[in-house]
Amino acid sequence: MQNLHYWQWRGQTIAYQAAGKLEDLSLPALVLIHGFGASSGHWRKNIPELAAAGRIFAIDLLGFGNSAKPLPTEELPYTFETWGQLVVDFCAQIVKTEVTLAGNSIGAIVAMQAAHLQPSLVKKTILINCSLRQLHIKKQSALPWYKSLGARVMQQLLTFRPFAQLFFSQLKQPRSVRRILQQAYAQTSAITDELVEMLLQPAQDPHALDVFISFVRYSGGPTPEELLEKLPCPAILLWGDQDPWEPIVLGREWQKFPAVKQFIPIAGAGHCPQDELPQIVNPLLLQYGLGN
């Protein structure tokens, strides 16, 4: 069961979970950041165990979970810069101490962006199957021509709202969510009714379509490699070795960056190891996120 709290950020309601001895600021703090389409609930198998060793926070990014989903504007677009600033302000105002940031998929990029924006707040990042952003404008030229063309065509089609509405209406069906999870998860036993419902519920928001369109069409901003190359704090990389979306062979190449202190493959896990194999990931989060 989610233990949700709410916080106001730039006029928007942000939901988060918090656990542990929150009043004891001497304890280490770990902030968990979900991936695209997910929420703080994606850490439900991790928070209870981690809370015994420190102060644990899991945030719903703007546009996801139980957080507000405003229409994108020039002042508040759905970008990594926006989400990075959200996390920085959350750490300063809610956590109130130096933190370790752990993020899955796009949440890992958000963690790195936050570290760049406020190095004094972030002592370490834990990047779990970090999104490679293969459809970033700087990377599209390296893709096979048919993949690059397909990405551009889809982005253009999504500017046509009737098509976007039809596409999204199909995407937010339980059978579609299960099919996507079966692609992403190597441990299919972790695909439960609870997980499907958790992912479906935010999609019912009237502005969920606009959030989806805004992010799918977003191909700018920093690449993960650019962020990692100059990351001002250590990075620990955890990577499910069966991830079909972000192949571990590409993730291993990131060991060349000075900030990367450990690269740890998670055998038998797909894109979301923290949810698929928490019995393996939790000890690593305890060691690297809450240890010295």
Side-chain angles (χ1 to χ4, degrees), residues 206-284:
H207 292 162
L209 171 63
D210 299 281
V211 176
F212 172 77
I213 293 173
S214 178
F215 185 74
V216 170
R217 295 184 60 212
Y218 173 51
S219 56
T223 67
E225 290 88 350
E226 288 169 342
L227 291 171
L228 193 52
E229 183 177 19
K230 298 181 179 179
L231 193 67
C233 64
I236 307 297
L237 272 59
L238 310 183
W239 217 287
D241 67 355
Q242 302 298 311
D243 189 342
W245 294 346
E246 318 295 353
I248 192 171
V249 65
L250 298 179
R252 287 187 187 277
E253 295 178 4
W254 289 2
Q255 295 177 88
K256 67 186 179 185
F257 295 112
V260 176
K261 304 306 178 186
Q262 293 282 343
F263 184 95
I264 304 171
I266 309 297
H271 188 59
C272 305
Q274 80 280 4
D275 192 46
E276 297 177 64
L277 294 171
Q279 68 273 23
I280 294 176
V281 173
N282 284 348
L284 295 171

Side-chain angles (χ1 to χ4, degrees), residues 157-170 209 213:
L157 282 172
L158 286 172
T159 65
F160 182 52
R161 194 170 184 84
F163 173 82
Q165 287 176 320
L166 177 62
F167 183 84
F168 190 66
S169 68
Q170 294 301 310
L209 171 63
I213 293 173

Side-chain angles (χ1 to χ4, degrees), residues 28 44 55 90 132 135 151 165 177 200 212 214 265 280 291-292:
R44 68 201 181 285
R55 301 159 61 233
F90 178 80
L132 298 169
L135 298 182
Q165 287 176 320
V177 171
L200 280 173
F212 172 77
S214 178
I280 294 176
N292 294 325

